[in-house]
Coordinates of all heavy atoms in Angstrom, one line a residue:
A891 N -0.1 206.2 79.6 CA 0.4 207.0 78.5 C 1.9 207.3 78.8 O 2.3 207.5 80.0 CB -0.3 208.3 78.3
D892 N 2.7 207.4 77.7 CA 4.1 207.8 77.9 C 4.3 209.3 77.7 O 3.4 210.0 77.3 CB 5.1 207.0 77.1 CG 4.8 207.1 75.6 OD1 4.0 207.9 75.2 OD2 5.4 206.3 74.9
S893 N 5.5 209.8 77.9 CA 5.8 211.2 77.9 C 5.3 211.9 76.6 O 4.7 212.9 76.6 CB 7.3 211.5 78.1 OG 7.6 211.0 79.3
P894 N 5.6 211.3 75.4 CA 5.2 212.0 74.2 C 3.7 212.2 74.1 O 3.2 213.2 73.7 CB 5.8 211.2 73.0 CG 6.9 210.4 73.6 CD 6.5 210.2 75.1
Q895 N 3.0 211.1 74.5 CA 1.5 211.2 74.5 C 1.0 212.3 75.5 O 0.1 213.1 75.1 CB 0.9 209.9 74.8 CG 1.2 208.8 73.7 CD 0.7 207.5 74.2 OE1 1.0 207.1 75.3 NE2 0.0 206.7 73.3
V896 N 1.5 212.3 76.7 CA 1.0 213.2 77.7 C 1.4 214.7 77.3 O 0.6 215.6 77.3 CB 1.7 212.9 79.0 CG1 1.4 214.0 80.0 CG2 1.1 211.6 79.6
L897 N 2.6 214.9 76.9 CA 3.1 216.3 76.5 C 2.4 216.8 75.2 O 2.2 217.9 75.1 CB 4.6 216.3 76.4 CG 5.2 216.3 77.7 CD1 6.8 216.2 77.5 CD2 4.9 217.5 78.5
S898 N 2.0 215.8 74.3 CA 1.3 216.3 73.2 C -0.1 216.9 73.5 O -0.6 217.7 72.7 CB 1.1 215.2 72.2 OG 0.2 214.2 72.6
L899 N -0.6 216.6 74.7 CA -1.9 217.1 75.0 C -1.9 218.4 75.8 O -2.9 219.0 76.0 CB -2.6 216.0 76.0 CG -2.9 214.7 75.4 CD1 -3.4 213.7 76.4 CD2 -3.8 214.8 74.3
L900 N -0.7 218.8 76.2 CA -0.5 220.1 76.9 C -0.5 221.2 75.9 O 0.1 221.1 74.8 CB 0.8 220.1 77.7 CG 0.9 219.1 78.8 CD1 2.3 219.2 79.5 CD2 -0.1 219.3 79.9
P901 N -1.2 222.3 76.2 CA -1.0 223.5 75.4 C 0.4 224.0 75.5 O 0.8 224.2 76.7 CB -2.1 224.4 75.9 CG -2.3 224.0 77.3 CD -2.0 222.5 77.3
R902 N 1.1 224.2 74.4 CA 2.4 224.7 74.5 C 2.4 226.2 74.6 O 1.8 226.9 73.9 CB 3.2 224.3 73.1 CG 3.4 222.8 73.0 CD 4.1 222.1 74.0 NE 5.5 222.5 74.0 CZ 6.4 221.8 74.5 NH1 6.2 220.7 75.2 NH2 7.7 222.1 74.4
K903 N 3.2 226.6 75.6 CA 3.4 228.1 75.9 C 4.8 228.5 75.5 O 5.8 227.8 75.9 CB 3.2 228.4 77.4 CG 1.8 228.0 77.9 CD 0.7 229.0 77.6 CE -0.5 228.6 78.2 NZ -1.7 229.3 77.8
E904 N 4.8 229.4 74.6 CA 6.2 229.9 74.2 C 6.6 231.1 75.0 O 7.6 231.8 74.6 CB 6.1 230.3 72.7 CG 5.8 229.1 71.8 CD 6.7 227.9 72.0 OE1 8.0 228.2 72.2 OE2 6.3 226.8 71.9
H905 N 6.0 231.3 76.2 CA 6.4 232.4 77.1 C 7.8 232.1 77.7 O 8.0 230.9 78.0 CB 5.4 232.6 78.1 CG 4.0 232.9 77.6 ND1 3.7 234.1 76.9 CD2 2.9 232.2 77.6 CE1 2.4 234.0 76.6 NE2 2.0 232.9 77.0
E906 N 8.6 233.2 77.8 CA 9.9 233.0 78.5 C 9.7 232.4 79.9 O 8.8 232.8 80.6 CB 10.6 234.3 78.5 CG 12.0 234.2 79.1 CD 12.8 235.5 79.0 OE1 12.5 236.2 78.0 OE2 13.6 235.7 79.8
G907 N 10.5 231.4 80.2 CA 10.4 230.8 81.6 C 9.6 229.6 81.7 O 9.7 228.9 82.7
V908 N 8.7 229.2 80.7 CA 8.0 228.0 80.8 C 8.9 226.8 80.4 O 9.5 226.8 79.3 CB 6.7 228.1 79.8 CG1 6.0 226.8 79.8 CG2 5.8 229.2 80.2
K909 N 9.0 225.8 81.3 CA 9.8 224.7 81.0 C 9.0 223.4 81.0 O 8.1 223.3 81.8 CB 10.8 224.6 82.2 CG 11.7 225.8 82.3 CD 13.1 225.4 82.8 CE 13.9 226.6 83.0 NZ 14.4 227.3 81.9
Y910 N 9.3 222.5 80.0 CA 8.7 221.3 80.0 C 9.7 220.2 80.4 O 10.6 219.9 79.5 CB 8.1 221.1 78.5 CG 7.0 222.0 78.2 CD1 7.3 223.2 77.7 CD2 5.7 221.6 78.5 CE1 6.3 224.1 77.4 CE2 4.7 222.6 78.2 CZ 5.0 223.8 77.7 OH 4.0 224.7 77.5
S911 N 9.7 219.8 81.5 CA 10.7 218.9 82.1 C 10.3 217.5 82.2 O 9.1 217.2 82.4 CB 11.0 219.4 83.6 OG 12.1 218.7 84.1
C912 N 11.2 216.6 81.8 CA 10.9 215.2 81.8 C 11.9 214.5 82.7 O 13.0 214.7 82.6 CB 11.0 214.7 80.4 SG 9.7 215.2 79.3
L913 N 11.4 213.6 83.5 CA 12.2 212.7 84.3 C 12.6 211.5 83.6 O 11.7 210.7 83.0 CB 11.4 212.2 85.6 CG 11.9 211.5 86.7 CD1 13.1 212.3 87.4 CD2 10.9 211.1 87.7
V914 N 13.9 211.3 83.4 CA 14.4 210.2 82.6 C 15.3 209.3 83.3 O 16.2 209.7 84.1 CB 15.1 210.8 81.3 CG1 14.2 211.6 80.5 CG2 16.4 211.4 81.7
P915 N 15.2 208.0 83.0 CA 16.1 207.0 83.8 C 17.4 206.7 83.1 O 18.3 206.2 83.7 CB 15.2 205.7 83.8 CG 14.4 205.9 82.6 CD 14.2 207.3 82.3
N916 N 17.5 207.1 81.8 CA 18.7 206.7 81.0 C 18.7 207.4 79.7 O 17.8 208.2 79.4 CB 18.7 205.1 80.8 CG 17.4 204.7 80.1 OD1 16.8 205.3 79.3 ND2 16.9 203.5 80.5
I917 N 19.7 207.1 78.8 CA 19.9 207.9 77.6 C 18.7 207.6 76.6 O 18.3 208.5 75.9 CB 21.2 207.5 76.9 CG1 21.5 208.5 75.8 CG2 21.3 206.1 76.4 CD1 21.9 209.9 76.1
E918 N 18.2 206.5 76.6 CA 17.0 206.2 75.7 C 15.8 207.0 76.1 O 15.1 207.6 75.3 CB 16.6 204.7 75.7 CG 17.7 203.7 75.1 CD 18.8 203.3 76.1 OE1 18.7 203.6 77.3 OE2 19.8 202.8 75.6
G919 N 15.6 207.1 77.4 CA 14.5 207.9 77.9 C 14.7 209.4 77.6 O 13.8 210.1 77.3
M920 N 16.0 209.8 77.8 CA 16.3 211.2 77.5 C 16.0 211.5 76.0 O 15.5 212.6 75.7 CB 17.8 211.5 77.8 CG 18.2 212.9 77.7 SD 19.0 213.2 76.1 CE 19.6 214.9 76.3
L921 N 16.5 210.7 75.1 CA 16.3 210.9 73.6 C 14.8 211.0 73.3 O 14.3 211.8 72.5 CB 17.0 209.9 72.9 CG 18.5 210.0 72.9 CD1 19.1 208.7 72.2 CD2 19.0 211.2 72.2
Q922 N 14.0 210.1 73.9 CA 12.6 210.1 73.6 C 11.9 211.4 74.2 O 11.2 211.9 73.5 CB 12.0 208.9 74.3 CG 10.4 208.8 74.1 CD 9.8 207.6 74.7 OE1 10.3 206.9 75.5 NE2 8.6 207.4 74.4
A923 N 12.4 211.8 75.4 CA 11.8 213.0 76.0 C 12.1 214.2 75.2 O 11.3 215.0 74.9 CB 12.3 213.1 77.4
V924 N 13.3 214.3 74.7 CA 13.7 215.6 74.0 C 13.3 215.5 72.5 O 12.9 216.5 72.0 CB 15.3 215.7 74.1 CG1 15.8 216.9 73.3 CG2 15.7 215.9 75.6
E925 N 13.4 214.4 71.9 CA 13.1 214.4 70.5 C 11.7 214.1 70.2 O 11.2 214.6 69.2 CB 14.0 213.3 69.8 CG 15.5 213.6 69.8 CD 16.4 212.6 69.4 OE1 15.9 211.5 69.0 OE2 17.6 212.9 69.3
N926 N 11.0 213.3 71.0 CA 9.6 212.9 70.7 C 8.6 213.7 71.5 O 7.5 213.9 71.1 CB 9.4 211.4 70.8 CG 10.2 210.6 69.9 OD1 10.5 211.1 68.8 ND2 10.7 209.4 70.3
A927 N 9.0 214.1 72.8 CA 8.1 214.8 73.7 C 8.3 216.2 73.7 O 7.6 216.9 74.4 CB 8.2 214.1 75.0
N928 N 9.4 216.7 73.0 CA 9.6 218.1 73.0 C 9.9 218.7 74.4 O 9.5 219.9 74.6 CB 8.5 218.8 72.3 CG 8.9 219.8 71.3 OD1 10.1 219.9 71.0 ND2 8.0 220.6 70.8
C929 N 10.6 218.0 75.3 CA 11.1 218.6 76.5 C 12.2 219.5 76.4 O 13.0 219.3 75.5 CB 11.4 217.4 77.5 SG 10.1 216.4 78.1
N930 N 12.2 220.5 77.2 CA 13.3 221.5 77.1 C 14.1 221.5 78.3 O 15.0 222.4 78.6 CB 12.9 222.9 76.7 CG 11.8 223.5 77.6 OD1 11.5 222.9 78.7 ND2 11.2 224.5 77.2
E931 N 13.9 220.5 79.2 CA 14.7 220.3 80.4 C 14.6 218.9 80.8 O 13.5 218.2 80.7 CB 14.1 221.2 81.6 CG 15.0 221.2 82.7 CD 14.4 222.3 83.7 OE1 14.8 223.4 83.7 OE2 13.5 221.9 84.6
V932 N 15.7 218.3 81.4 CA 15.8 216.9 81.7 C 16.0 216.8 83.2 O 16.8 217.6 83.8 CB 16.8 216.2 80.9 CG1 17.1 214.8 81.4 CG2 16.4 216.1 79.4
A933 N 15.5 215.8 83.9 CA 15.8 215.5 85.3 C 16.1 214.0 85.4 O 15.5 213.2 84.8 CB 14.5 215.8 86.1
I934 N 17.1 213.8 86.1 CA 17.6 212.4 86.4 C 17.4 212.1 87.9 O 17.4 213.0 88.7 CB 19.1 212.1 86.0 CG1 20.0 213.2 86.7 CG2 19.2 212.2 84.4 CD1 21.5 213.0 86.3
F935 N 17.3 210.8 88.2 CA 16.9 210.5 89.6 C 17.8 209.3 90.0 O 18.0 208.4 89.2 CB 15.5 210.2 89.8 CG 14.9 209.1 88.9 CD1 14.8 207.9 89.4 CD2 14.6 209.5 87.6 CE1 14.3 206.9 88.5 CE2 14.0 208.5 86.7 CZ 13.9 207.2 87.2
A936 N 18.2 209.3 91.3 CA 18.9 208.1 91.9 C 18.2 207.8 93.2 O 17.6 208.6 93.8 CB 20.3 208.5 92.2
S937 N 18.2 206.5 93.5 CA 17.6 206.0 94.7 C 18.5 206.2 95.9 O 19.7 206.2 95.7 CB 17.2 204.6 94.6 OG 16.2 204.3 93.6
A938 N 18.0 206.4 97.1 CA 18.9 206.4 98.2 C 19.2 205.1 98.9 O 20.1 205.0 99.7 CB 18.2 207.3 99.3
S939 N 18.5 204.1 98.5 CA 18.8 202.8 98.9 C 18.9 201.7 97.8 O 18.3 201.9 96.8 CB 17.7 202.2 99.9 OG 16.6 201.8 99.3
E940 N 19.8 200.8 98.0 CA 20.0 199.7 97.0 C 18.7 199.0 96.7 O 18.4 198.7 95.5 CB 21.1 198.7 97.4 CG 22.5 199.3 97.3 CD 22.9 199.5 95.9 OE1 22.5 198.9 95.0 OE2 23.8 200.4 95.8
S941 N 18.0 198.6 97.7 CA 16.7 197.8 97.5 C 15.7 198.6 96.7 O 15.1 198.0 95.7 CB 16.2 197.3 98.8 OG 15.8 198.4 99.6
F942 N 15.6 199.9 97.0 CA 14.6 200.7 96.2 C 15.1 200.8 94.7 O 14.3 200.7 93.8 CB 14.4 202.0 96.8 CG 13.3 202.9 96.1 CD1 12.0 202.6 96.3 CD2 13.7 203.8 95.2 CE1 11.0 203.3 95.6 CE2 12.7 204.5 94.5 CZ 11.4 204.3 94.7
S943 N 16.4 201.0 94.6 CA 17.0 201.2 93.3 C 16.7 200.0 92.4 O 16.3 200.0 91.3 CB 18.5 201.5 93.3 OG 19.0 201.7 92.1
R944 N 16.9 198.8 93.0 CA 16.7 197.5 92.2 C 15.3 197.3 91.9 O 15.0 196.9 90.8 CB 17.3 196.4 93.0 CG 18.8 196.5 93.1 CD 19.5 195.1 93.3 NE 20.9 195.2 93.4 CZ 21.7 195.2 92.3 NH1 21.1 195.1 91.1 NH2 23.0 195.3 92.4
K945 N 14.4 197.7 92.8 CA 13.0 197.5 92.6 C 12.4 198.5 91.6 O 11.5 198.2 90.8 CB 12.2 197.5 93.9 CG 12.4 196.3 94.8 CD 11.7 196.5 96.1 CE 12.0 195.3 97.0 NZ 11.5 195.4 98.4
N946 N 12.9 199.8 91.6 CA 12.4 200.8 90.9 C 12.9 200.9 89.5 O 12.1 201.0 88.5 CB 12.7 202.2 91.6 CG 11.9 203.3 91.0 OD1 10.8 203.2 90.6 ND2 12.6 204.4 90.9
I947 N 14.2 200.8 89.3 CA 14.8 200.8 87.9 C 15.7 199.6 87.6 O 16.4 199.6 86.6 CB 15.6 202.2 87.7 CG1 16.7 202.3 88.8 CG2 14.7 203.4 87.8 CD1 17.6 203.5 88.6
N948 N 15.6 198.6 88.4 CA 16.2 197.3 88.2 C 17.7 197.3 88.0 O 18.3 196.7 87.1 CB 15.6 196.6 86.8 CG 15.8 195.2 86.8 OD1 15.9 194.5 87.8 ND2 15.9 194.7 85.6
C949 N 18.4 198.2 88.8 CA 19.8 198.2 88.8 C 20.3 198.8 90.1 O 19.5 199.4 90.9 CB 20.4 199.0 87.6 SG 20.0 200.7 87.7
S950 N 21.6 198.6 90.4 CA 22.2 199.2 91.6 C 22.3 200.7 91.5 O 22.2 201.2 90.4 CB 23.5 198.6 91.9 OG 24.4 199.0 90.9
I951 N 22.6 201.4 92.6 CA 22.8 202.8 92.6 C 24.0 203.1 91.7 O 24.0 204.0 90.9 CB 23.0 203.3 94.1 CG1 21.8 203.2 94.9 CG2 23.5 204.7 94.0 CD1 21.9 203.5 96.3
E952 N 25.1 202.3 91.9 CA 26.3 202.5 91.0 C 26.0 202.4 89.6 O 26.4 203.2 88.7 CB 27.3 201.5 91.4 CG 28.7 201.8 90.7 CD 29.8 200.9 91.2 OE1 29.7 200.3 92.3 OE2 30.8 200.9 90.5
E953 N 25.2 201.4 89.2 CA 24.8 201.2 87.8 C 23.9 202.4 87.3 O 24.1 202.8 86.1 CB 24.1 199.9 87.6 CG 24.9 198.7 87.8 CD 24.1 197.4 87.8 OE1 23.0 197.4 88.4 OE2 24.5 196.4 87.3
S954 N 23.1 203.0 88.2 CA 22.2 204.1 87.7 C 23.1 205.3 87.5 O 22.9 206.0 86.6 CB 21.2 204.3 88.7 OG 21.7 204.9 90.0
M955 N 24.1 205.4 88.3 CA 25.1 206.6 88.1 C 25.8 206.5 86.7 O 25.9 207.4 86.1 CB 26.1 206.7 89.2 CG 25.5 207.0 90.6 SD 24.8 208.6 90.6 CE 24.0 208.5 92.2
D956 N 26.2 205.3 86.4 CA 26.8 205.0 85.1 C 25.9 205.4 84.0 O 26.2 205.9 82.9 CB 27.3 203.6 84.9 CG 28.4 203.2 85.8 OD1 29.1 204.1 86.3 OD2 28.6 202.0 86.1
R957 N 24.6 205.1 84.1 CA 23.6 205.4 83.1 C 23.4 206.9 83.0 O 22.9 207.4 81.9 CB 22.2 204.9 83.5 CG 22.1 203.3 83.4 CD 20.8 202.8 83.9 NE 20.8 201.4 83.9 CZ 19.7 200.7 84.2 NH1 18.5 201.3 84.5 NH2 19.7 199.4 84.2
F958 N 23.6 207.7 84.0 CA 23.5 209.2 83.9 C 24.5 209.8 83.2 O 24.3 210.9 82.6 CB 23.5 209.8 85.4 CG 22.4 209.3 86.2 CD1 22.6 209.3 87.6 CD2 21.1 208.9 85.7 CE1 21.5 208.9 88.4 CE2 20.1 208.5 86.5 CZ 20.3 208.4 87.9
L959 N 25.8 209.3 83.1 CA 26.8 209.9 82.4 C 26.5 210.3 80.9 O 26.7 211.5 80.5 CB 28.1 209.1 82.4 CG 28.7 208.9 83.9 CD1 29.9 207.9 83.8 CD2 29.0 210.2 84.5
P960 N 26.1 209.4 80.1 CA 25.7 209.8 78.7 C 24.5 210.8 78.6 O 24.5 211.6 77.8 CB 25.4 208.5 78.0 CG 25.2 207.4 79.0 CD 25.9 208.0 80.2
V961 N 23.6 210.7 79.6 CA 22.5 211.7 79.6 C 23.1 213.1 79.8 O 22.8 214.0 79.1 CB 21.5 211.3 80.7 CG1 20.5 212.4 80.9 CG2 20.8 210.0 80.4
V962 N 23.9 213.2 80.9 CA 24.5 214.6 81.2 C 25.3 215.0 80.1 O 25.2 216.3 79.7 CB 25.2 214.5 82.6 CG1 25.9 215.8 82.8 CG2 24.2 214.1 83.7
K963 N 26.1 214.2 79.5 CA 27.0 214.6 78.4 C 26.2 215.1 77.2 O 26.5 216.1 76.7 CB 27.9 213.4 77.9 CG 28.8 213.7 76.8 CD 29.6 212.5 76.4 CE 30.6 213.0 75.2 NZ 30.9 212.0 74.4
L964 N 25.1 214.4 76.8 CA 24.3 214.9 75.7 C 23.6 216.1 76.0 O 23.4 217.0 75.1 CB 23.3 213.7 75.3 CG 22.6 213.9 74.0 CD1 23.5 214.2 72.8 CD2 21.7 212.7 73.6
C965 N 23.1 216.2 77.2 CA 22.4 217.5 77.7 C 23.4 218.6 77.5 O 23.0 219.7 77.0 CB 21.9 217.4 79.1 SG 20.4 216.4 79.2
K966 N 24.6 218.5 77.9 CA 25.6 219.6 77.8 C 25.9 219.9 76.3 O 25.9 221.0 76.1 CB 26.9 219.1 78.5 CG 26.8 219.2 80.1 CD 28.1 218.8 80.7 CE 29.1 219.9 80.6 NZ 30.4 219.6 81.4
E967 N 26.0 218.9 75.5 CA 26.2 219.1 74.1 C 25.1 219.9 73.5 O 25.3 220.7 72.7 CB 26.4 217.7 73.4 CG 27.7 217.1 73.7 CD 27.8 215.7 73.1 OE1 26.8 215.2 72.4 OE2 28.8 215.0 73.4
R968 N 23.8 219.6 73.9 CA 22.6 220.2 73.3 C 22.2 221.4 74.1 O 21.2 221.9 73.7 CB 21.6 219.1 73.2 CG 21.8 218.0 72.2 CD 20.7 217.2 72.1 NE 20.9 216.1 71.1 CZ 20.0 215.3 70.7 NH1 18.7 215.4 71.0 NH2 20.3 214.3 69.8
K969 N 23.0 221.8 75.1 CA 22.6 222.9 76.0 C 21.2 222.8 76.5 O 20.4 223.7 76.6 CB 22.7 224.2 75.2 CG 24.2 224.5 74.7 CD 24.3 225.8 74.1 CE 25.7 226.2 73.6 NZ 26.7 225.3 73.4
I970 N 20.9 221.6 77.0 CA 19.6 221.3 77.7 C 19.9 221.3 79.2 O 20.7 220.6 79.6 CB 19.0 220.0 77.2 CG1 18.8 219.9 75.7 CG2 17.8 219.6 78.0 CD1 18.4 218.6 75.1
P971 N 19.2 222.1 79.9 CA 19.3 222.0 81.4 C 19.0 220.6 81.9 O 18.1 220.0 81.5 CB 18.4 223.1 81.9 CG 18.0 223.9 80.7 CD 18.2 223.0 79.5
V972 N 19.9 220.2 82.9 CA 19.5 218.9 83.5 C 19.7 219.0 85.0 O 20.6 219.7 85.5 CB 20.5 217.8 83.0 CG1 22.0 218.1 83.3 CG2 20.3 216.4 83.6
R973 N 18.8 218.4 85.8 CA 18.8 218.5 87.2 C 18.8 217.0 87.7 O 18.4 216.1 87.1 CB 17.5 219.1 87.8 CG 17.5 220.6 87.4 CD 16.1 221.2 87.9 NE 15.1 220.7 87.0 CZ 13.8 220.6 87.5 NH1 13.5 220.9 88.7 NH2 12.8 220.1 86.7
G974 N 19.3 216.9 89.0 CA 19.4 215.5 89.6 C 18.7 215.5 90.9 O 18.6 216.5 91.6
Y975 N 18.1 214.3 91.1 CA 17.3 214.1 92.4 C 17.7 212.8 93.1 O 18.0 211.9 92.4 CB 15.7 214.0 92.1 CG 15.2 215.3 91.5 CD1 15.1 215.6 90.2 CD2 14.8 216.3 92.4 CE1 14.6 216.7 89.7 CE2 14.2 217.5 91.9 CZ 14.2 217.6 90.5 OH 13.6 218.8 90.0
V976 N 17.6 212.8 94.4 CA 17.8 211.6 95.1 C 16.5 211.2 95.8 O 15.8 212.0 96.4 CB 18.9 211.7 96.2 CG1 19.0 210.4 97.0 CG2 20.2 212.0 95.6

């Protein structure tokens, strides 16, 4: 199942401090997470090695960093918290 399907099954809590965070690889994933899955926080991830990056997301570390720029920009515009992981 993808993010919208999984998150639609979770009981939504409107309590302060409850975050629905989605791990996204690029702008398309971010838009799907925020618009279709109702995430209110975004996480981006980069690999520590070139070989893992190519196997995991089919691009170099440098290319993955380029993919993050529009994600972070849109998150800032929409005031959506974004975190990064290696």
